[in-house]
Amino acid sequence: MKLPIYFDYSATTPVDPRVAEKMVACLTLDGNFGNPASRSHLFGWKAEDAVETARKQVADLLSADPREIVWTSGATESDNLAIKGVARFYHKKGKHIVTSRIEHKAVLDTCRQLEREGFEVTYLDPDSEGLIHPEVVADAIREDTILVSLMHVNNEIGTITDIAAIGEITRAKGVIFHVDAAQSAGKVEIDLTKLKVDLMSFSAHKIYGPKGIGALYVRRKPRIRLEAIMHGGGHERGMRSGTLPTHQIVGMGEAFRLAKEELAADNAHMLSLRNRLWEGLKDMEEVHINGSFVQRVPANLNISFAFVEGESLLMSLKDLAVSSGSACTSASLEPSYVLRALGLSDELAHSSIRFSFGRFTTEDEIDHAIGQLKTAVSKLRELSPLWDMYKDGVDLSKVEWVHH
Amino acid sequence: MAYSEEVLEHYENPRNVGKMDDNDSHVGTGMVGAPACGDVMRLQIKVSDDGIIEDAKFKTYGCGSAIASSSLVTEWVKGMTLEQASELKNTQIADQLALPPVKIHCSVLAEDAIKAAVEDYKKKQS
């Protein structure tokens, strides 16, 4: 077993070797290096062919029309283009946007920017399981609402939003629906002939493609209009100018093709790993799963080990590359805003670890993780005054803490 | 984030981990921090009749730097008078452990903890 073990597939995935091989063929003089926008020679035509094949591969995973796919630099750009693009195009219809408190920063910070530009944003609260309920969305929509933006799968806790039900509501009310699907593509089936989603953001590097490439799905029927952010050569039907990076696009296309082919097998693999991990941990005292256990992708397990602080736990988990829900390491002492929005107590929010695994994770790696976790948690609980107090029956929520 | 060797050493081998009897009149307890901030330190000292700290124990919920800061302080205060212990400065702790700027609050917390323990002991005596 190679150490450390990678358990951070929700942050990024390694490129599948089959994808890398296709990409390499689009770089050098003897490969497909041309500019897809060059119309006057074979080099350009070949590159354009490769780009259009990839566009179809991406569309196929989503049951979309290839003409509905716009290449971007990643999900962050897709989110920006969708939200700002809609807001700036439809602002005469209304200036109200609905989103949630557990969205990715690419959505939240974009909404903040629009607030500075005079838009009004409603931030919906999830329930304690991390779910945004369709009726909560319905209640938040007003006469002047132009856009609802929600994520399909949450990046921290892996919960799945019921976008089918929410799409029915937004469509009935004539409100545009944008979904960030960076964490769901290749993990949850997406059928855009059925889902009433108008805009959808995708990223390649979350499903074994390269970083630096993504896409925005822009529905044609009913037609969604966007004001571009990037201006230049009028590429991507004017929605996103800039020379298309053939090797990146080909990589994303191949990654999406493989995702479609292997979705069922990938999910079965991850579900068995997830269950194995949880079986190994659930008998420990005061271990909690964050987010619904039912309505979540198998690739994610976000766990709180009560009375143990996340950063010190990470220090003990030397062989495991995981991510902590407490943002201590990024120098702000705030626990994750997502876990906060779930209403988690401070000690649980500071004690969370996100495990995310994928195509290349093995059972041996899961078993190694279980062993190291058990040792680390019991060591740190021995050191924890909160654990002592819990064992003595003290209610920590009633203690008057001396803040510093 | 990279931790200094000193922090790692204390984190791997924390000194004086434990709990003393709070009701013992020779024991002073300082508990500072809050779960909301991600660190809680409990530092206890046992003081002899002639005012010397003869033993110290700690338990800390917090990051590696917080654990190392409290572990180091328990080592330092043993053998000190109450006055010497309350004169300990967080900068000494931060220097010894080579704490980066974002972790200075851990050393402040350790200073607060020892001061609180001394206060608690004095209150018990009066």
Side-chain angles (χ1 to χ4, degrees):
Chain A
M1 196 185 315
K2 225 177 119 193
L3 299 177
I5 306 164
Y6 192 69
F7 282 119
D8 210 7
Y9 279 76
S10 293
T12 194
T13 56
V15 171
D16 190 296
R18 294 167 288 183
V19 170
E21 200 183 313
K22 299 269 181 197
M23 292 177 68
V24 169
C26 299
L27 292 167
T28 51
L29 180 62
D30 57 351
N32 192 356
F33 74 92
N35 185 334
S38 296
R39 291 289 157 87
S40 53
H41 49 68
L42 183 67
F43 297 91
W45 304 333
K46 270 176 63 186
E48 191 190 16
D49 269 355
V51 165
E52 295 315 312
T53 302
R55 201 188 297 278
K56 183 159 189 327
Q57 289 169 327
V58 170
D60 280 349
L61 179 67
L62 320 168
S63 303
D65 185 313
R67 290 170 296 178
E68 296 175 310
I69 303 299
V70 174
W71 301 115
T72 66
S73 62
T76 292
E77 187 190 329
S78 299
D79 289 344
N80 269 268
L81 177 56
I83 298 170
K84 288 176 184 162
V86 163
R88 289 172 188 164
F89 192 91
Y90 294 96
H91 65 95
K92 285 188 182 125
K93 267 185 78 183
K95 297 196 112 183
H96 181 235
I97 295 167
V98 176
T99 185
S100 89
R101 287 194 195 287
I102 58 168
E103 296 306 305
H104 191 271
K105 286 284 180 191
V107 167
L108 291 177
D109 288 354
T110 301
C111 287
R112 289 276 179 234
Q113 175 57 30
L114 288 173
E115 284 179 299
R116 285 189 285 272
E117 294 174 20
F119 288 84
E120 200 187 322
V121 181
T122 298
Y123 299 91
L124 302 176
D125 286 312
D127 70 5
S128 61
E129 298 226 294
L131 303 175
I132 306 286
H133 292 280
E135 54 273 22
V136 175
V137 178
D139 288 347
I141 293 175
R142 316 188 307 210
E143 276 296 301
D144 60 340
T145 305
I146 50 170
L147 175 70
V148 170
S149 176
L150 294 169
M151 64 203 329
H152 194 187
V153 167
N154 183 273
N155 51 313
E156 286 192 37
I157 52 176
T159 47
I160 305 171
T161 308
D162 186 356
I163 57 171
I166 295 169
E168 296 296 335
I169 295 165
T170 49
R171 184 63 57 82
K173 299 200 180 200
V175 174
I176 295 171
F177 186 25
H178 166 245
V179 173
D180 182 333
Q183 295 285 348
S184 65
K187 299 192 184 87
V188 181
E189 208 173 313
I190 296 172
D191 181 349
L192 286 166
T193 59
K194 297 200 181 98
L195 292 168
K196 296 198 170 64
V197 171
D198 301 303
L199 296 153
M200 209 173 212
S201 301
F202 298 96
S203 164
H205 77 97
K206 307 286 190 190
I207 53 169
Y208 315 99
K211 294 163 191 63
I213 184 74
L216 179 66
Y217 161 85
V218 185
R219 186 175 284 283
R220 286 166 65 88
K221 282 179 196 161
R223 188 171 179 211
I224 301 299
R225 310 284 301 273
L226 295 176
E227 175 119 3
I229 299 175
M230 195 82 83
H231 300 93
H235 306 75
E236 301 297 282
R237 296 179 309 287
M239 280 186 271
R240 204 280 191 176
S241 290
T243 296
L244 294 175
T246 314
H247 64 298
Q248 301 285 84
I249 289 171
V250 163
M252 180 161 176
E254 179 67 3
F256 273 57
R257 186 187 72 77
L258 290 170
K260 185 180 165 78
E261 215 172 80
E262 299 184 3
L263 191 126
D266 276 346
N267 269 339
H269 176 59
M270 288 187 284
L271 190 64
S272 90
L273 295 175
R274 199 268 308 274
N275 291 343
R276 191 179 183 91
L277 178 60
W278 182 234
E279 284 301 315
L281 297 175
K282 68 175 193 206
D283 292 333
M284 293 170 72
E285 277 182 272
E286 288 297 309
V287 179
H288 306 270
I289 293 181
N290 298 313
S292 165
F293 193 61
V294 185
Q295 209 168 316
R296 91 190 281 139
V297 288
N300 167 302
L301 199 59
N302 188 310
I303 317 176
S304 285
F305 300 89
F307 317 114
V308 170
E309 192 272 334
E311 190 180 330
S312 59
L313 185 53
L314 288 191
M315 257 177 105
S316 285
L317 303 177
K318 279 198 248 9
D319 297 346
L320 317 182
V322 293
S323 135
S324 164
S326 156
C328 252
T329 40
S330 61
S332 87
L333 293 169
E334 287 299 303
S336 132
Y337 64 90
V338 173
L339 298 180
R340 271 286 168 83
L342 266 58
L344 244 66
S345 67
D346 292 319
E347 56 275 20
L348 282 183
H350 272 293
S351 309
S352 93
I353 299 275
R354 178 185 73 180
F355 287 88
S356 48
F357 18 78
R359 202 175 275 169
F360 308 116
T361 312
T362 65
E363 287 188 348
D364 284 349
E365 290 175 334
I366 295 282
D367 294 344
H368 189 79
I370 293 168
Q372 195 158 73
L373 267 165
K374 284 186 161 169
T375 312
V377 170
S378 59
K379 173 196 158 170
L380 288 167
R381 281 183 175 166
E382 275 307 303
L383 272 175
S384 168
L386 303 183
W387 179 248
D388 273 357
M389 293 164 83
Y390 164 73
K391 283 282 166 184
D392 291 343
V394 177
D395 180 352
L396 293 178
S397 66
K398 300 216 164 67
V399 176
E400 269 191 50
W401 301 101
V402 186
H403 287 259
H404 63 297
Chain B
M1 171 189 312
Y3 296 94
S4 69
E5 271 178 38
E6 291 82 356
V7 168
L8 283 173
E9 208 277 315
H10 274 277
Y11 176 76
E12 298 292 346
N13 312 291
R15 331 285 202 262
N16 308 310
V17 176
K19 191 178 168 187
M20 295 180 194
D21 180 7
D22 219 359
N23 298 317
D24 185 336
S25 65
H26 288 92
V27 171
T29 302
M31 188 152 86
V32 295
C37 310
D39 14 44
V40 176
M41 260 179 214
R42 188 183 62 210
L43 206 145
Q44 294 180 299
I45 50 173
K46 188 168 195 182
V47 185
S48 66
D49 291 330
D50 47 359
I52 304 288
I53 297 172
E54 49 187 21
D55 199 8
K57 293 273 182 232
F58 86 96
K59 284 207 180 188
T60 291
Y61 163 89
C63 65
S65 304
I67 291 169
S69 295
S70 35
S71 167
L72 176 68
V73 164
T74 56
E75 272 201 316
W76 276 357
V77 297
K78 276 200 233 178
M80 283 186 175
T81 64
L82 290 175
E83 196 173 40
Q84 286 168 328
S86 29
E87 277 167 6
L88 269 182
K89 287 278 168 290
N90 83 288
T91 46
Q92 295 167 272
I93 302 164
D95 285 350
Q96 177 68 30
L97 294 175
L99 296 181
V102 294
K103 294 295 179 186
I104 294 299
H105 71 276
C106 298
S107 64
V108 174
L109 206 60
E111 181 191 320
D112 290 352
I114 184 67
K115 288 205 164 94
V118 170
E119 278 310 304
D120 181 60
Y121 172 78
K122 284 183 177 163
K123 216 185 282 170
K124 275 187 181 169
Q125 302 309 309
S126 57

